[in-house]
């Protein structure tokens, strides 16, 4: 096994999101940090109660869809992201969540700084959250 692949083997692999097929006609897989980023997206996009057998899976972000863009909403967005990722993505440690408002688009860019457990490799992901649907 190559040394480059070995150090991230503990991060696992799974079916790619969104679901798609590869050139051989099999389900596309994603591995390591790419799989973590897809998992973060799935957790944040899933509303609590949406999954039948896991009603507590997901995040509370959808509760803030029509909230005003103010300091309290920005704080709640950060809190909901931190809470959901701490509970549902055990492969990472969330270092910081920053909320950058874009009032013209009705959007808040949530910048999630994290690192995989057992690693000091800092990574970040920007998740756009729309306070007004279809903005």
């Amino acid at each position: 096994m190559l040394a480059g692949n070995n150090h991230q083997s503990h991060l696992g692999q799974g079916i790619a999101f969104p679901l798609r097929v590869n050139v051989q006609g099999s389900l596309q897989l994603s591995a390591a940090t790419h799989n973590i980023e897809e998992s973060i997206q799935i957790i944040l996009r899933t509303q609590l109660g949406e999954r039948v057998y896991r009603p507590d899976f997901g995040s509370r972000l959808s509760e803030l869809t029509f909230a005003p863009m103010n300091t309290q909403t920005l704080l709640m967005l950060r809190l909901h992201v931190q809470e959901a990722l701490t509970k549902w993505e055990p492969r990472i440690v969330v270092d910081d969540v920053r909320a950058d408002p874009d009032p013209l688009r009705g959007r808040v860019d949530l910048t999630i700084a994290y690192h995989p457990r057992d690693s000091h490799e800092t990574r970040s992901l920007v998740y756009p959250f729309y306070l007004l649907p279809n903005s």
Side-chain angles (χ1 to χ4, degrees):
M1 182 175 259
L2 293 174
N5 293 336
N6 196 18
H7 79 283
Q8 292 188 345
S9 64
H10 68 281
L11 298 178
Q13 81 176 11
I15 297 173
F17 179 81
L19 194 61
R20 56 191 180 273
V21 294
N22 61 20
V23 293
Q24 290 85 20
S26 300
L27 289 177
Q28 180 71 42
L29 299 177
S30 68
T33 54
H34 187 68
N35 185 253
I36 288 175
E37 290 174 359
E38 290 177 346
S39 177
I40 290 170
Q41 298 267 345
I42 290 168
I43 292 165
L44 297 180
R45 288 182 180 168
T46 303
Q47 297 179 35
L48 293 179
E50 186 175 338
R51 296 230 174 145
V52 176
Y53 294 107
R54 273 227 169 136
D56 59 336
F57 178 81
S59 74
R60 297 175 56 193
L61 288 178
S62 64
E63 296 174 10
L64 298 170
T65 300
F66 293 104
M69 192 173 298
N70 58 28
T71 306
Q72 182 179 356
T73 300
L74 297 176
L75 180 62
M76 293 305 294
L77 286 167
R78 293 175 57 210
L79 179 68
H80 291 337
V81 168
Q82 178 80 39
E83 177 184 64
L85 295 180
T86 300
K87 182 174 185 176
W88 294 110
E89 186 45 83
R91 298 176 292 177
I92 67 169
V93 174
V94 178
D95 299 317
D96 187 38
V97 179
R98 195 176 74 232
D100 298 315
D102 185 350
L104 295 177
R105 294 183 183 166
R107 178 176 94 185
V108 177
D109 287 330
L110 298 166
T111 304
I112 304 156
Y114 69 94
H115 66 271
R117 289 203 187 277
D118 303 326
S119 168
H120 296 290
E121 177 190 354
T122 304
R123 304 195 51 83
S124 67
L125 176 98
V126 177
Y127 180 81
F129 179 77
Y130 290 88
L131 292 170
L132 301 172
N134 300 322
S135 292

